[in-house]
Amino acid sequence: MSDNVVAPEIAAGALPGTPTGVAPGSGSGVHGHLGFLKNNLRDYGMLMSLFAIMLFFEFMTGGTLLRPLNLTNLVLQNSYIVIMALGMLLVIVSGHIDLSVGSVAGFVGAAAAVMMVNYHLNFIPATILCLALGGLIGAAQGYWIAYFKIPSFIVTLAGMLVFKGLALALLQGQSVGPFSLIFQKLSSGFIPEILPNTGRHYPTSVLIGVIIALGLVYMQTRTRTRQKRHGMDVEPTVLFTIKNAVLFGVMVYLTTLIASHRGLPNVLVIMMILIAIYAFLTARTTIGRQIYAVGGNVRAAKLSGIKTERLTFLTFVNMGMLAALAGLVFAARLNTATPKAGQGFELDVIAACYIGGASAYGGVGKVAGAVIGAFIMGVMNNGMSILGIGIDYQQVLKGLVLLGAVCIDVYNQKR
């Protein structure tokens, strides 16, 4: 955990590129533009890396990567990683780690299968019980970490083994399924179309994509205006305009491509709602800023009156519930619960956060960065699979990317 006190501005802004304490006077002129890019190279680098990786695999796969069907599959394949990355970001920012998320997701998926398939429980109460189970698991682990000061690495490593074994015992070593058609729609369903179908695209889905893109641009503009009003040096106008124009264009383009298949997946809408909630939580609420303060310097945060134990406890409760939701999404997508479900998820989730700019020392990280990191991992997995690269070399390349992201973090800390 870092001993540097982290300013609340770290959490400001829902997207990379939002200034976090740029020196006054750096926001105008060529030198101001270059200075801003240098100070925020980590944020802009994430976006540029994602675009570069997508363009590379689009070229290498002969245009397969950005085909509507493949984009839809890309969203479905990475939905549970993005969902868990939102919770893992708060855990990492607070200065901890959770190695049990994959096992918890698999265990909750197994519990859902037993309730819905074996005991024919309706999917609504079963879903509520599963989310409560995830929260209870997070509370049990968070209690030992927050109040008994046992390192999170040890507690969650034990949790990973415990819940992996419990999932195996619950399923008795066999797959359980299938689920009801309604529950399957959680992951494999698409939003209903209200507007008339044009024959090629689903207009309701395209409209939702345009509204979301406009909403993100509006939030960025409002954040910049608020920072300027409070005397903070803001992102240069030219860079701000270019970034948001590109963001809007790319989002509308990708939404149009996805909508040309079968419309927007239900899980994508769930992801967008969660991303908006957690972006607001980290940037605009007291509890969000307190989490960053705890990760930056827990002793200083405690002396300032922050209830550090309670915050740590709540971050693990939140992580447990999101892991449970991811387990439900994954089970619905497979239409079965298997003893190996969730295996290795924790590695992709943690890697997504670190690649997205979260600091291994705590106190630093953004929601948008974690989401971008998750999709960088997803695009790499998808692109390498299309190219026929074996799982062995895929693991090697992902490991090198993770190591590079942590090395950049250490370099920034020393600088």
Side-chain angles (χ1 to χ4, degrees), residues 117-156:
V117 178
N118 292 353
Y119 291 97
H120 307 289
L121 185 64
N122 183 271
F123 79 96
I124 294 178
T127 299
I128 295 173
L129 286 174
C130 286
L131 293 177
L133 177 61
L136 184 62
I137 292 171
Q141 297 189 128
Y143 181 77
W144 292 104
I145 295 166
Y147 297 103
F148 282 83
K149 308 301 179 185
I150 301 177
S152 57
F153 181 90
I154 300 299
V155 174
T156 58

mmCIF file of all heavy atoms in Angstrom, residues 117-156:
data_model
loop_
_atom_site.group_PDB
_atom_site.id
_atom_site.type_symbol
_atom_site.label_atom_id
_atom_site.label_comp_id
_atom_site.label_asym_id
_atom_site.label_seq_id
_atom_site.Cartn_x
_atom_site.Cartn_y
_atom_site.Cartn_z
ATOM 1 N N VAL A 117 -32.872 -25.822 -11.222
ATOM 2 C CA VAL A 117 -33.020 -27.058 -12.009
ATOM 3 C C VAL A 117 -33.468 -28.218 -11.121
ATOM 4 O O VAL A 117 -34.444 -28.915 -11.424
ATOM 5 C CB VAL A 117 -31.696 -27.412 -12.728
ATOM 6 C CG1 VAL A 117 -31.844 -28.724 -13.495
ATOM 7 C CG2 VAL A 117 -31.296 -26.284 -13.676
ATOM 8 N N ASN A 118 -32.773 -28.415 -10.017
ATOM 9 C CA ASN A 118 -33.094 -29.561 -9.161
ATOM 10 C C ASN A 118 -34.344 -29.347 -8.306
ATOM 11 O O ASN A 118 -35.145 -30.273 -8.119
ATOM 12 C CB ASN A 118 -31.908 -29.887 -8.253
ATOM 13 C CG ASN A 118 -30.714 -30.430 -9.028
ATOM 14 O OD1 ASN A 118 -30.814 -30.681 -10.232
ATOM 15 N ND2 ASN A 118 -29.584 -30.593 -8.369
ATOM 16 N N TYR A 119 -34.497 -28.108 -7.799
ATOM 17 C CA TYR A 119 -35.635 -27.838 -6.899
ATOM 18 C C TYR A 119 -36.708 -26.964 -7.551
ATOM 19 O O TYR A 119 -37.676 -26.589 -6.897
ATOM 20 C CB TYR A 119 -35.123 -27.169 -5.615
ATOM 21 C CG TYR A 119 -34.300 -28.098 -4.765
ATOM 22 C CD1 TYR A 119 -32.912 -28.077 -4.829
ATOM 23 C CD2 TYR A 119 -34.907 -29.024 -3.922
ATOM 24 C CE1 TYR A 119 -32.133 -28.938 -4.060
ATOM 25 C CE2 TYR A 119 -34.143 -29.888 -3.139
ATOM 26 C CZ TYR A 119 -32.757 -29.837 -3.221
ATOM 27 O OH TYR A 119 -32.002 -30.698 -2.460
ATOM 28 N N HIS A 120 -36.525 -26.623 -8.828
ATOM 29 C CA HIS A 120 -37.536 -25.924 -9.630
ATOM 30 C C HIS A 120 -37.988 -24.612 -8.987
ATOM 31 O O HIS A 120 -39.161 -24.234 -9.062
ATOM 32 C CB HIS A 120 -38.751 -26.831 -9.867
ATOM 33 C CG HIS A 120 -38.391 -28.162 -10.432
ATOM 34 N ND1 HIS A 120 -37.946 -28.325 -11.729
ATOM 35 C CD2 HIS A 120 -38.378 -29.407 -9.867
ATOM 36 C CE1 HIS A 120 -37.691 -29.601 -11.950
ATOM 37 N NE2 HIS A 120 -37.944 -30.282 -10.837
ATOM 38 N N LEU A 121 -37.065 -23.902 -8.361
ATOM 39 C CA LEU A 121 -37.359 -22.591 -7.791
ATOM 40 C C LEU A 121 -37.419 -21.561 -8.911
ATOM 41 O O LEU A 121 -36.603 -21.580 -9.842
ATOM 42 C CB LEU A 121 -36.290 -22.209 -6.765
ATOM 43 C CG LEU A 121 -36.508 -20.914 -5.981
ATOM 44 C CD1 LEU A 121 -37.758 -21.017 -5.100
ATOM 45 C CD2 LEU A 121 -35.277 -20.601 -5.117
ATOM 46 N N ASN A 122 -38.368 -20.641 -8.834
ATOM 47 C CA ASN A 122 -38.495 -19.589 -9.839
ATOM 48 C C ASN A 122 -37.212 -18.775 -9.905
ATOM 49 O O ASN A 122 -36.540 -18.547 -8.893
ATOM 50 C CB ASN A 122 -39.679 -18.688 -9.486
ATOM 51 C CG ASN A 122 -39.906 -17.617 -10.541
ATOM 52 O OD1 ASN A 122 -39.344 -16.529 -10.475
ATOM 53 N ND2 ASN A 122 -40.745 -17.921 -11.524
ATOM 54 N N PHE A 123 -36.876 -18.293 -11.122
ATOM 55 C CA PHE A 123 -35.589 -17.636 -11.312
ATOM 56 C C PHE A 123 -35.474 -16.310 -10.550
ATOM 57 O O PHE A 123 -34.359 -15.891 -10.206
ATOM 58 C CB PHE A 123 -35.328 -17.410 -12.812
ATOM 59 C CG PHE A 123 -36.057 -16.234 -13.404
ATOM 60 C CD1 PHE A 123 -35.435 -14.997 -13.532
ATOM 61 C CD2 PHE A 123 -37.373 -16.360 -13.842
ATOM 62 C CE1 PHE A 123 -36.093 -13.927 -14.093
ATOM 63 C CE2 PHE A 123 -38.040 -15.295 -14.394
ATOM 64 C CZ PHE A 123 -37.406 -14.065 -14.520
ATOM 65 N N ILE A 124 -36.588 -15.625 -10.263
ATOM 66 C CA ILE A 124 -36.496 -14.337 -9.558
ATOM 67 C C ILE A 124 -36.038 -14.517 -8.108
ATOM 68 O O ILE A 124 -35.028 -13.919 -7.693
ATOM 69 C CB ILE A 124 -37.841 -13.587 -9.630
ATOM 70 C CG1 ILE A 124 -38.148 -13.191 -11.082
ATOM 71 C CG2 ILE A 124 -37.808 -12.342 -8.737
ATOM 72 C CD1 ILE A 124 -39.473 -12.486 -11.260
ATOM 73 N N PRO A 125 -36.725 -15.331 -7.283
ATOM 74 C CA PRO A 125 -36.207 -15.529 -5.923
ATOM 75 C C PRO A 125 -34.852 -16.226 -5.909
ATOM 76 O O PRO A 125 -34.023 -15.948 -5.028
ATOM 77 C CB PRO A 125 -37.286 -16.397 -5.253
ATOM 78 C CG PRO A 125 -38.045 -17.016 -6.364
ATOM 79 C CD PRO A 125 -38.007 -16.033 -7.478
ATOM 80 N N ALA A 126 -34.596 -17.097 -6.879
ATOM 81 C CA ALA A 126 -33.299 -17.769 -6.936
ATOM 82 C C ALA A 126 -32.182 -16.759 -7.200
ATOM 83 O O ALA A 126 -31.103 -16.827 -6.586
ATOM 84 C CB ALA A 126 -33.310 -18.838 -8.032
ATOM 85 N N THR A 127 -32.450 -15.813 -8.099
ATOM 86 C CA THR A 127 -31.451 -14.778 -8.387
ATOM 87 C C THR A 127 -31.193 -13.912 -7.162
ATOM 88 O O THR A 127 -30.036 -13.597 -6.836
ATOM 89 C CB THR A 127 -31.929 -13.904 -9.560
ATOM 90 O OG1 THR A 127 -32.087 -14.716 -10.727
ATOM 91 C CG2 THR A 127 -30.934 -12.785 -9.846
ATOM 92 N N ILE A 128 -32.258 -13.518 -6.466
ATOM 93 C CA ILE A 128 -32.106 -12.703 -5.256
ATOM 94 C C ILE A 128 -31.304 -13.451 -4.190
ATOM 95 O O ILE A 128 -30.400 -12.886 -3.550
ATOM 96 C CB ILE A 128 -33.491 -12.293 -4.713
ATOM 97 C CG1 ILE A 128 -34.195 -11.371 -5.710
ATOM 98 C CG2 ILE A 128 -33.360 -11.600 -3.356
ATOM 99 C CD1 ILE A 128 -35.627 -11.041 -5.341
ATOM 100 N N LEU A 129 -31.610 -14.738 -4.014
ATOM 101 C CA LEU A 129 -30.881 -15.547 -3.031
ATOM 102 C C LEU A 129 -29.406 -15.683 -3.411
ATOM 103 O O LEU A 129 -28.522 -15.647 -2.536
ATOM 104 C CB LEU A 129 -31.524 -16.931 -2.921
ATOM 105 C CG LEU A 129 -32.865 -16.994 -2.184
ATOM 106 C CD1 LEU A 129 -33.457 -18.402 -2.291
ATOM 107 C CD2 LEU A 129 -32.690 -16.614 -0.714
ATOM 108 N N CYS A 130 -29.134 -15.829 -4.701
ATOM 109 C CA CYS A 130 -27.746 -15.966 -5.152
ATOM 110 C C CYS A 130 -26.957 -14.677 -4.930
ATOM 111 O O CYS A 130 -25.789 -14.719 -4.512
ATOM 112 C CB CYS A 130 -27.715 -16.363 -6.624
ATOM 113 S SG CYS A 130 -28.176 -18.084 -6.927
ATOM 114 N N LEU A 131 -27.577 -13.530 -5.203
ATOM 115 C CA LEU A 131 -26.898 -12.250 -4.956
ATOM 116 C C LEU A 131 -26.652 -12.054 -3.468
ATOM 117 O O LEU A 131 -25.585 -11.570 -3.055
ATOM 118 C CB LEU A 131 -27.731 -11.096 -5.521
ATOM 119 C CG LEU A 131 -27.877 -11.047 -7.041
ATOM 120 C CD1 LEU A 131 -28.786 -9.893 -7.449
ATOM 121 C CD2 LEU A 131 -26.502 -10.885 -7.711
ATOM 122 N N ALA A 132 -27.631 -12.443 -2.639
ATOM 123 C CA ALA A 132 -27.453 -12.355 -1.186
ATOM 124 C C ALA A 132 -26.342 -13.293 -0.718
ATOM 125 O O ALA A 132 -25.552 -12.945 0.173
ATOM 126 C CB ALA A 132 -28.766 -12.690 -0.479
ATOM 127 N N LEU A 133 -26.272 -14.482 -1.343
ATOM 128 C CA LEU A 133 -25.209 -15.428 -1.008
ATOM 129 C C LEU A 133 -23.841 -14.847 -1.334
ATOM 130 O O LEU A 133 -22.893 -14.974 -0.539
ATOM 131 C CB LEU A 133 -25.430 -16.731 -1.770
ATOM 132 C CG LEU A 133 -24.365 -17.824 -1.594
ATOM 133 C CD1 LEU A 133 -24.264 -18.247 -0.135
ATOM 134 C CD2 LEU A 133 -24.676 -19.028 -2.484
ATOM 135 N N GLY A 134 -23.744 -14.196 -2.485
ATOM 136 C CA GLY A 134 -22.483 -13.557 -2.851
ATOM 137 C C GLY A 134 -22.092 -12.462 -1.873
ATOM 138 O O GLY A 134 -20.926 -12.341 -1.472
ATOM 139 N N GLY A 135 -23.082 -11.636 -1.464
ATOM 140 C CA GLY A 135 -22.809 -10.599 -0.486
ATOM 141 C C GLY A 135 -22.372 -11.174 0.852
ATOM 142 O O GLY A 135 -21.482 -10.637 1.520
ATOM 143 N N LEU A 136 -22.988 -12.292 1.250
ATOM 144 C CA LEU A 136 -22.631 -12.948 2.506
ATOM 145 C C LEU A 136 -21.197 -13.498 2.454
ATOM 146 O O LEU A 136 -20.445 -13.388 3.435
ATOM 147 C CB LEU A 136 -23.618 -14.078 2.790
ATOM 148 C CG LEU A 136 -23.449 -14.828 4.119
ATOM 149 C CD1 LEU A 136 -23.645 -13.869 5.288
ATOM 150 C CD2 LEU A 136 -24.439 -15.985 4.211
ATOM 151 N N ILE A 137 -20.827 -14.063 1.312
ATOM 152 C CA ILE A 137 -19.460 -14.564 1.145
ATOM 153 C C ILE A 137 -18.463 -13.407 1.229
ATOM 154 O O ILE A 137 -17.428 -13.499 1.901
ATOM 155 C CB ILE A 137 -19.321 -15.308 -0.193
ATOM 156 C CG1 ILE A 137 -20.130 -16.609 -0.161
ATOM 157 C CG2 ILE A 137 -17.857 -15.603 -0.506
ATOM 158 C CD1 ILE A 137 -20.226 -17.298 -1.504
ATOM 159 N N GLY A 138 -18.780 -12.306 0.545
ATOM 160 C CA GLY A 138 -17.914 -11.138 0.613
ATOM 161 C C GLY A 138 -17.804 -10.587 2.026
ATOM 162 O O GLY A 138 -16.725 -10.174 2.470
ATOM 163 N N ALA A 139 -18.919 -10.608 2.762
ATOM 164 C CA ALA A 139 -18.914 -10.129 4.146
ATOM 165 C C ALA A 139 -18.046 -11.012 5.033
ATOM 166 O O ALA A 139 -17.303 -10.516 5.891
ATOM 167 C CB ALA A 139 -20.345 -10.077 4.685
ATOM 168 N N ALA A 140 -18.129 -12.329 4.827
ATOM 169 C CA ALA A 140 -17.333 -13.253 5.637
ATOM 170 C C ALA A 140 -15.841 -13.033 5.420
ATOM 171 O O ALA A 140 -15.054 -13.006 6.376
ATOM 172 C CB ALA A 140 -17.715 -14.694 5.292
ATOM 173 N N GLN A 141 -15.453 -12.835 4.159
ATOM 174 C CA GLN A 141 -14.041 -12.601 3.869
ATOM 175 C C GLN A 141 -13.613 -11.205 4.308
ATOM 176 O O GLN A 141 -12.537 -11.017 4.882
ATOM 177 C CB GLN A 141 -13.771 -12.803 2.382
ATOM 178 C CG GLN A 141 -14.039 -14.221 1.909
ATOM 179 C CD GLN A 141 -13.568 -14.491 0.497
ATOM 180 O OE1 GLN A 141 -12.843 -15.438 0.239
ATOM 181 N NE2 GLN A 141 -13.991 -13.654 -0.436
ATOM 182 N N GLY A 142 -14.473 -10.221 4.043
ATOM 183 C CA GLY A 142 -14.139 -8.853 4.401
ATOM 184 C C GLY A 142 -14.013 -8.658 5.903
ATOM 185 O O GLY A 142 -13.240 -7.820 6.373
ATOM 186 N N TYR A 143 -14.778 -9.431 6.685
ATOM 187 C CA TYR A 143 -14.725 -9.311 8.141
ATOM 188 C C TYR A 143 -13.333 -9.663 8.662
ATOM 189 O O TYR A 143 -12.769 -8.947 9.499
ATOM 190 C CB TYR A 143 -15.771 -10.230 8.765
ATOM 191 C CG TYR A 143 -15.824 -10.177 10.273
ATOM 192 C CD1 TYR A 143 -16.445 -9.120 10.918
ATOM 193 C CD2 TYR A 143 -15.239 -11.186 11.045
ATOM 194 C CE1 TYR A 143 -16.496 -9.063 12.310
ATOM 195 C CE2 TYR A 143 -15.281 -11.141 12.425
ATOM 196 C CZ TYR A 143 -15.910 -10.074 13.047
ATOM 197 O OH TYR A 143 -15.948 -10.013 14.418
ATOM 198 N N TRP A 144 -12.766 -10.774 8.184
ATOM 199 C CA TRP A 144 -11.433 -11.183 8.623
ATOM 200 C C TRP A 144 -10.368 -10.192 8.171
ATOM 201 O O TRP A 144 -9.412 -9.912 8.899
ATOM 202 C CB TRP A 144 -11.107 -12.574 8.081
ATOM 203 C CG TRP A 144 -11.941 -13.658 8.673
ATOM 204 C CD1 TRP A 144 -12.992 -14.296 8.088
ATOM 205 C CD2 TRP A 144 -11.801 -14.226 9.976
ATOM 206 N NE1 TRP A 144 -13.535 -15.220 8.943
ATOM 207 C CE2 TRP A 144 -12.816 -15.213 10.112
ATOM 208 C CE3 TRP A 144 -10.920 -14.010 11.042
ATOM 209 C CZ2 TRP A 144 -12.963 -15.962 11.260
ATOM 210 C CZ3 TRP A 144 -11.071 -14.770 12.192
ATOM 211 C CH2 TRP A 144 -12.076 -15.727 12.294
ATOM 212 N N ILE A 145 -10.559 -9.637 6.971
ATOM 213 C CA ILE A 145 -9.564 -8.702 6.426
ATOM 214 C C ILE A 145 -9.638 -7.353 7.134
ATOM 215 O O ILE A 145 -8.608 -6.776 7.516
ATOM 216 C CB ILE A 145 -9.789 -8.531 4.909
ATOM 217 C CG1 ILE A 145 -9.528 -9.854 4.185
ATOM 218 C CG2 ILE A 145 -8.896 -7.429 4.344
ATOM 219 C CD1 ILE A 145 -10.041 -9.887 2.762
ATOM 220 N N ALA A 146 -10.855 -6.829 7.313
ATOM 221 C CA ALA A 146 -11.021 -5.484 7.855
ATOM 222 C C ALA A 146 -10.788 -5.422 9.355
ATOM 223 O O ALA A 146 -10.112 -4.504 9.849
ATOM 224 C CB ALA A 146 -12.415 -4.960 7.514
ATOM 225 N N TYR A 147 -11.339 -6.369 10.100
ATOM 226 C CA TYR A 147 -11.343 -6.257 11.555
ATOM 227 C C TYR A 147 -10.278 -7.117 12.246
ATOM 228 O O TYR A 147 -9.884 -6.811 13.379
ATOM 229 C CB TYR A 147 -12.736 -6.604 12.096
ATOM 230 C CG TYR A 147 -13.796 -5.642 11.619
ATOM 231 C CD1 TYR A 147 -14.677 -5.992 10.593
ATOM 232 C CD2 TYR A 147 -13.911 -4.372 12.170
ATOM 233 C CE1 TYR A 147 -15.646 -5.103 10.141
ATOM 234 C CE2 TYR A 147 -14.875 -3.479 11.735
ATOM 235 C CZ TYR A 147 -15.741 -3.855 10.721
ATOM 236 O OH TYR A 147 -16.689 -2.969 10.271
ATOM 237 N N PHE A 148 -9.811 -8.167 11.586
ATOM 238 C CA PHE A 148 -8.747 -8.978 12.169
ATOM 239 C C PHE A 148 -7.397 -8.723 11.505
ATOM 240 O O PHE A 148 -6.394 -9.323 11.890
ATOM 241 C CB PHE A 148 -9.103 -10.465 12.075
ATOM 242 C CG PHE A 148 -10.103 -10.910 13.103
ATOM 243 C CD1 PHE A 148 -11.465 -10.728 12.882
ATOM 244 C CD2 PHE A 148 -9.707 -11.478 14.288
ATOM 245 C CE1 PHE A 148 -12.397 -11.130 13.816
ATOM 246 C CE2 PHE A 148 -10.628 -11.889 15.240
ATOM 247 C CZ PHE A 148 -11.986 -11.705 15.013
ATOM 248 N N LYS A 149 -7.406 -7.852 10.476
ATOM 249 C CA LYS A 149 -6.179 -7.426 9.799
ATOM 250 C C LYS A 149 -5.403 -8.591 9.186
ATOM 251 O O LYS A 149 -4.180 -8.534 9.045
ATOM 252 C CB LYS A 149 -5.257 -6.659 10.758
ATOM 253 C CG LYS A 149 -5.922 -5.517 11.497
ATOM 254 C CD LYS A 149 -6.501 -4.477 10.545
ATOM 255 C CE LYS A 149 -7.182 -3.343 11.307
ATOM 256 N NZ LYS A 149 -7.861 -2.388 10.390
ATOM 257 N N ILE A 150 -6.095 -9.645 8.802
ATOM 258 C CA ILE A 150 -5.439 -10.738 8.083
ATOM 259 C C ILE A 150 -5.261 -10.310 6.630
ATOM 260 O O ILE A 150 -6.198 -9.783 6.021
ATOM 261 C CB ILE A 150 -6.267 -12.030 8.165
ATOM 262 C CG1 ILE A 150 -6.453 -12.443 9.622
ATOM 263 C CG2 ILE A 150 -5.596 -13.157 7.377
ATOM 264 C CD1 ILE A 150 -7.315 -13.663 9.811
ATOM 265 N N PRO A 151 -4.091 -10.470 6.048
ATOM 266 C CA PRO A 151 -3.870 -10.019 4.667
ATOM 267 C C PRO A 151 -4.912 -10.585 3.704
ATOM 268 O O PRO A 151 -5.256 -11.774 3.769
ATOM 269 C CB PRO A 151 -2.465 -10.554 4.348
ATOM 270 C CG PRO A 151 -1.794 -10.657 5.677
ATOM 271 C CD PRO A 151 -2.877 -11.040 6.648
ATOM 272 N N SER A 152 -5.407 -9.727 2.836
ATOM 273 C CA SER A 152 -6.454 -10.147 1.895
ATOM 274 C C SER A 152 -5.973 -11.258 0.980
ATOM 275 O O SER A 152 -6.769 -12.109 0.555
ATOM 276 C CB SER A 152 -6.916 -8.944 1.067
ATOM 277 O OG SER A 152 -5.821 -8.350 0.372
ATOM 278 N N PHE A 153 -4.696 -11.272 0.683
ATOM 279 C CA PHE A 153 -4.153 -12.323 -0.173
ATOM 280 C C PHE A 153 -4.397 -13.698 0.454
ATOM 281 O O PHE A 153 -4.815 -14.649 -0.230
ATOM 282 C CB PHE A 153 -2.651 -12.090 -0.390
ATOM 283 C CG PHE A 153 -1.991 -13.103 -1.284
ATOM 284 C CD1 PHE A 153 -1.927 -12.890 -2.654
ATOM 285 C CD2 PHE A 153 -1.447 -14.271 -0.770
ATOM 286 C CE1 PHE A 153 -1.324 -13.824 -3.487
ATOM 287 C CE2 PHE A 153 -0.845 -15.206 -1.598
ATOM 288 C CZ PHE A 153 -0.785 -14.979 -2.957
ATOM 289 N N ILE A 154 -4.157 -13.804 1.765
ATOM 290 C CA ILE A 154 -4.309 -15.086 2.452
ATOM 291 C C ILE A 154 -5.776 -15.476 2.565
ATOM 292 O O ILE A 154 -6.167 -16.615 2.280
ATOM 293 C CB ILE A 154 -3.668 -15.016 3.855
ATOM 294 C CG1 ILE A 154 -2.176 -14.688 3.749
ATOM 295 C CG2 ILE A 154 -3.876 -16.329 4.600
ATOM 296 C CD1 ILE A 154 -1.374 -15.690 2.982
ATOM 297 N N VAL A 155 -6.617 -14.522 2.987
ATOM 298 C CA VAL A 155 -8.039 -14.822 3.190
ATOM 299 C C VAL A 155 -8.697 -15.243 1.882
ATOM 300 O O VAL A 155 -9.423 -16.245 1.834
ATOM 301 C CB VAL A 155 -8.767 -13.594 3.784
ATOM 302 C CG1 VAL A 155 -10.276 -13.844 3.848
ATOM 303 C CG2 VAL A 155 -8.234 -13.279 5.180
ATOM 304 N N THR A 156 -8.456 -14.496 0.824
ATOM 305 C CA THR A 156 -9.132 -14.804 -0.443
ATOM 306 C C THR A 156 -8.515 -16.002 -1.143
ATOM 307 O O THR A 156 -9.188 -16.678 -1.927
ATOM 308 C CB THR A 156 -9.118 -13.572 -1.374
ATOM 309 O OG1 THR A 156 -7.762 -13.166 -1.618
ATOM 310 C CG2 THR A 156 -9.883 -12.422 -0.744
#
